[in-house]
Amino acid sequence: MKRRQLPLRPARSTEAELLDRPGNDPALLAGNLADLRRVNRWLGGVRLTLAGLGRLTGDLRPGDALRVLDVATGSADIPTAMANWAERRRLRAWILATDRSAEVLRLAERPETDRVGFAVADACDLPFADGSFDIATCSLVLHHLDPDEAVSMLREMSRVARRGIVVNDLVRNWPGFAGAWLFSRSLTRNQLTRNDAPLSARRAYTRREMRMLLDRAELCPVDSAGFLAYRVAMIAQAPP
């Protein structure tokens, strides 16, 4: 009898995550956002976005202004990290953290700085003029969207960003799925996290699929950086 071989990577799931469904208990939601902050801090999420930000701002000097839009910000830990990064570089930065969920924004991390603002906004239909920001970023958002929605978000991010965009997300593979399952079973009791972490790993796109989404959005990545094979940041400059 011929043995069935394990596929190279999990098939992409289209099952909706609990986080994307309305009516979540605020205490569970707050715990889930805290778990996401730990993942970003321990497992490269913050580091990848800051590397992308640096790639797109290499020509800036102390005292220069920088406006950044973070879409679908979740717990807003990455905007806080970006504000601290800009302060170390002595840039006059302002970061707007947006999310379509007012409830999520109420639970988001509030930094002790006036360099981070908050607003409700849909990532696929941003209420901002063309070129309103220098850079647009997102983290752990792409895998929540189907391909058409993902392309819409990428186009909107590119439309409002003069310099370019940074897209930070999971990569669909077996190590990523195994790591998400292990984290969700060993380091948290939160039911949202326990359901969504391994599901996120199965909803994620591969690197090739991410590049195809960027291509459909008429963007060409100029750089990418990965962490532990499970996460990647794609950096794309704005079209000339």
Side-chain angles (χ1 to χ4, degrees):
M1 181 182 295
K2 186 177 181 180
R3 292 182 179 180
R4 294 182 61 186
Q5 291 185 332
L6 188 70
L8 292 177
R9 59 186 60 85
R12 184 169 188 269
S13 173
T14 58
E15 179 184 347
E17 297 184 37
L18 295 181
L19 182 62
D20 294 327
R21 299 175 184 177
N24 283 308
D25 177 82
L28 277 178
L29 185 55
N32 176 254
L33 294 177
D35 285 338
L36 291 174
R37 287 195 292 273
R38 284 192 286 272
V39 167
N40 283 331
R41 184 171 64 251
W42 297 343
L43 297 176
V46 171
R47 187 185 314 171
L48 286 175
T49 292
L50 295 184
L53 206 61
R55 175 70 170 79
L56 292 172
T57 60
D59 61 321
L60 294 184
R61 297 293 178 264
D64 287 346
L66 177 66
R67 289 173 58 88
V68 181
L69 175 69
D70 190 56
V71 303
T73 195
S75 71
D77 54 319
I78 290 184
T80 300
M82 289 193 287
N84 294 335
W85 170 88
E87 186 173 355
R88 291 192 296 273
R89 285 192 57 185
R90 291 182 291 164
L91 299 174
R92 294 185 295 108
W94 187 70
I95 298 99
L96 182 61
T98 66
D99 201 284
R100 69 178 183 179
S101 169
E103 178 66 18
V104 166
L105 288 181
R106 281 194 292 270
L107 296 170
E109 183 176 76
R110 287 298 193 271
E112 296 180 0
T113 176
D114 59 1
R115 295 191 175 193
V116 179
F118 294 85
V120 175
D122 186 339
C124 296
D125 187 19
L126 295 171
F128 308 112
D130 296 0
S132 300
F133 298 86
D134 296 297
I135 296 169
T137 65
C138 68
S139 176
L140 297 182
V141 181
L142 200 69
H143 70 269
H144 287 270
L145 307 177
D146 68 31
D148 289 342
E149 291 172 330
V151 170
S152 294
M153 182 188 74
L154 293 170
R155 285 175 175 162
E156 281 291 273
M157 290 174 66
S158 176
R159 178 182 66 79
V160 302
R162 292 187 291 267
R163 286 177 173 264
I165 70 173
V166 181
V167 181
N168 176 344
D169 214 281
L170 305 174
V171 179
R172 192 176 77 254
N173 54 33
W174 289 118
F177 174 76
W181 188 92
L182 182 62
F183 169 82
S184 66
R185 294 303 181 271
S186 62
L187 297 176
T188 182
R189 295 180 179 274
N190 185 277
Q191 292 305 308
L192 285 181
T193 306
R194 286 194 160 202
N195 179 84
D196 286 359
L199 178 56
S200 292
R202 291 191 293 118
R203 284 189 56 92
Y205 294 97
T206 65
R207 285 176 179 250
R208 180 174 178 273
E209 289 166 347
M210 289 184 203
R211 290 179 179 274
M212 291 173 64
L213 293 172
L214 287 164
D215 184 62
R216 283 183 57 190
E218 300 180 338
L219 290 165
C220 180
V222 296
D223 200 3
S224 65
F227 187 81
L228 295 179
Y230 96 106
R231 194 158 175 175
V232 67
M234 297 276 184
I235 301 103
Q237 289 179 328

